[in-house]
Amino acid sequence: MERRKVIIDCDPGIDDSLAIMLALASREIEVIGITIVCGNCPVDMGFENAKKVLNHLNRLDVPVYKGMEKPLIKEFVNALDTHGQDGLGESFLENVEGYEQDIDAITFLSNTLRKEKVSIIAIGPLTNIATLIHTDLEAFLNVEEFISMGGACHVPGNCSPVAEYNYWCDPDAAKLVFRTMKEHHRKVLMVPLNVTRQIVLTPELLEYMKQVNKVQGDFVEKITKFYFYFHLTWENLIGCVINDPLAVAYFINRNLCAGIDAYVDIETQGISIGQSVVDTLDFYKNEKNAHVLTSVDEHAFFEMFFSKVLDIPEEQLKFEV
Ligand code: RIB
Ligand code: CA
């Protein structure tokens, strides 16, 4: 089976880190680079955190590139309240020196997309992607598939009653990406809160991870401890919603989720800023520029996640979600 080449554009970030763990454990894909965008944490912190995760996985061969430090227009608002002061659940893992690249994320994206067929798995705000569109549209349109964790379709947001963080953090970038995909008759594979909210890592599942593979389970516990506390305090939830790994999982196995094709636009001002407006009933009669996921098989997701991240055959897994 040919491994599909991907670039992960992210803001690590606790759930971004779990997504990186899943991606690097997946034989179906080859991660040829990780690009960092401002989001959960400032871009320099995200760069350090990506290296910490790669160091844990013994995969510092994967290059990491720094991207945009602030949104296109909106003032930058990080999510360190959710991800901890170090952006990695206040695990305060040892810094990994070096591994600086001589080009930035946008240049890497442009060079790579011009050279070969690569897909982008975007699990942070879309500032890097929008900047690539502004600076090298031809390269962006060369992308094989573009998948984005973001938005919410007729469910509450997590940053406002209607807006999800990635599209709220940089709504102008998200708007440009969806508009560009529409203009060029392409579709965003959109992984919204509708489906990611159903992916809850519970204390029982975390304990199971530790039993099956102590090294990986302990690492996941280290970086999610703060996240569990955040969810209990603010969402009265025992467990933590791990949004980003679902984008990787769905990229690998489309049977995990069902979805609909729809026209999507992003609000960039006012009380609904960052809202993803999903025209499910085709009011606007616009070309459909997104495949919006609407349901997920949580158990199948965790079977893939545990099997790959814990390195155990799926048939040996015994857990309930
Ligand atoms: O709203 C959830 C998304 O925002 C996730 O990607 C999380 O990492 C944050 O970036
Ligand atoms: Ca993220």
Side-chain angles (χ1 to χ4, degrees):
M1 159 194 38
E2 189 194 343
R3 301 182 75 182
R4 296 187 66 192
K5 293 185 177 180
V6 303
I7 293 169
I8 297 179
D9 189 67
C10 58
D11 56 337
I14 295 168
D15 55 335
D16 302 72
S17 301
L18 300 176
I20 291 170
M21 293 176 78
L22 175 60
L24 292 182
S26 301
R27 279 187 290 276
E28 298 84 348
I29 58 179
E30 179 189 355
V31 179
I32 61 171
I34 294 175
T35 51
I36 306 298
V37 67
C38 59
N40 290 324
C41 47
V43 73
D44 285 344
M45 186 185 286
F47 177 70
E48 295 308 323
N49 288 341
K51 291 190 294 177
K52 290 176 182 179
V53 177
L54 293 176
N55 188 41
H56 165 73
L57 299 171
N58 198 22
R59 288 301 311 273
L60 282 163
D61 58 292
V62 178
V64 185
Y65 300 87
K66 289 183 189 177
M68 303 310 286
E69 295 183 349
K70 59 186 176 60
L72 295 187
I73 299 172
K74 184 171 175 285
E75 183 191 355
F76 176 36
V77 177
N78 66 45
L80 290 177
D81 61 337
T82 309
H83 292 261
Q85 283 316 302
D86 65 346
L88 213 47
E90 299 190 353
S91 52
F92 299 116
L93 300 177
E94 192 180 334
N95 265 340
V96 178
E97 298 306 323
Y99 294 94
E100 301 281 344
Q101 302 296 327
D102 54 9
I103 57 173
D104 66 11
I106 314 308
T107 307
F108 168 71
L109 286 161
S110 173
N111 293 350
T112 307
L113 287 163
R114 278 183 172 274
K115 197 171 57 179
E116 53 193 323
K117 270 302 167 196
V118 177
S119 293
I120 295 175
I121 301 177
I123 50 178
L126 296 178
T127 314
N128 285 347
I129 310 306
T131 304
L132 175 66
I133 290 171
H134 276 151
T135 56
D136 192 353
L137 174 60
E138 188 184 336
F140 173 69
L141 294 174
N142 219 19
V143 69
E144 188 163 59
E145 281 193 296
F146 180 73
I147 188 165
S148 165
M149 188 279 133
C153 173
H154 310 327
V155 296
N158 58 10
C159 276
S160 83
V162 292
E164 172 279 328
Y165 177 77
N166 286 337
Y167 295 174
W168 175 86
C169 178
D170 193 343
D172 303 280
K175 185 180 187 71
L176 178 62
V177 171
F178 278 90
R179 195 185 70 205
T180 304
M181 292 296 265
K182 174 175 173 292
E183 284 167 0
H184 295 275
H185 316 296
R186 304 283 298 270
K187 287 189 177 70
V188 175
L189 292 176
M190 182 175 156
V191 187
L193 290 177
N194 306 53
V195 288
T196 66
R197 269 207 177 99
Q198 296 173 54
I199 307 299
V200 180
L201 181 66
T202 62
E204 294 78 14
L205 289 174
L206 179 59
E207 198 50 44
Y208 179 73
M209 292 185 76
K210 291 163 62 180
Q211 295 299 321
V212 169
N213 182 322
K214 186 167 177 12
V215 170
Q216 300 309 334
D218 285 354
F219 182 80
V220 170
E221 180 176 54
K222 209 178 285 181
I223 68 170
T224 58
K225 210 174 24 274
F226 185 92
Y227 212 32
F228 273 89
Y229 175 75
F230 173 87
H231 280 81
L232 182 61
T233 307
W234 296 101
E235 304 201 6
N236 213 18
L237 176 70
I238 298 179
C240 59
V241 175
I242 53 171
N243 303 283
D244 292 337
L246 183 58
V248 173
Y250 177 74
F251 183 79
I252 293 168
N253 178 359
R254 306 293 153 101
N255 297 323
L256 285 181
C257 297
I260 54 164
D261 289 346
Y263 168 65
V264 176
D265 197 353
I266 309 294
E267 180 54 77
T268 56
Q269 53 196 342
I271 190 172
S272 303
I273 188 168
Q275 179 178 13
S276 55
V277 179
V278 183
D279 187 7
T280 49
L281 298 182
D282 205 17
F283 283 104
Y284 299 129
K285 299 288 179 275
N286 264 328
E287 185 170 348
K288 297 172 171 52
N289 58 344
H291 183 67
V292 184
L293 302 188
T294 52
S295 65
V296 58
D297 179 339
E298 305 98 288
H299 194 275
F301 164 80
F302 278 108
E303 275 182 333
M304 177 197 286
F305 185 70
F306 289 158
S307 175
K308 291 177 181 296
V309 171
L310 305 176
D311 192 19
I312 174 173
E314 280 199 14
E315 55 274 15
Q316 290 180 21
L317 291 168
K318 288 183 179 38
F319 67 93
E320 291 303 319
V321 291

